[in-house]
Amino acid sequence: MYTTYLASMFVHVRFGVNEAHGKGVAIQFNFLTDEGAIKIDEVTGTFSTDSLKIKSAVRKLTGEILMIEQKDRTRKPKR
């Protein structure tokens, strides 16, 4: 499942980071790479997921996104 998730990231980001989906996927990709959940083999030029880290990294990312959304909702409108 996570390998398919990684593959779909490349599909969405190909439209560029100026598009909403591309930007969102770039953020996810960078976060998961920083967490060690996505590995890059520089010799072969291939990407893979680390099965021991990916699930917890996706949960952590989801939590971060939900907290950002919650903070945005509770902020008073600017006038």
Side-chain angles (χ1 to χ4, degrees):
M1 176 173 82
Y2 292 113
T3 303
T4 303
Y5 173 49
L6 174 59
S8 73
M9 289 182 175
F10 293 108
V11 172
H12 291 292
V13 83
R14 72 179 178 182
F15 298 110
V17 294
N18 293 327
E19 298 292 326
H21 287 93
K23 189 178 291 186
V25 167
I27 291 168
Q28 293 172 52
F29 182 86
N30 287 331
F31 184 92
L32 295 173
T33 301
D34 289 346
E35 291 292 313
I38 295 175
K39 301 287 186 185
I40 304 165
D41 185 329
E42 294 185 22
V43 174
T44 63
T46 58
F47 296 84
S48 62
T49 57
D50 184 323
S51 60
L52 299 176
K53 295 180 181 178
I54 189 79
K55 188 173 183 177
S56 63
V58 169
R59 283 186 177 174
K60 184 176 177 181
L61 173 61
T62 302
E64 299 249 349
I65 291 170
L66 291 173
M67 290 304 296
I68 290 168
E69 288 180 359
Q70 178 60 29
K71 287 178 186 175
D72 190 51
R73 281 192 208 126
T74 58
R75 206 175 345 159
K76 293 182 180 179
K78 294 179 183 177
R79 295 184 187 209

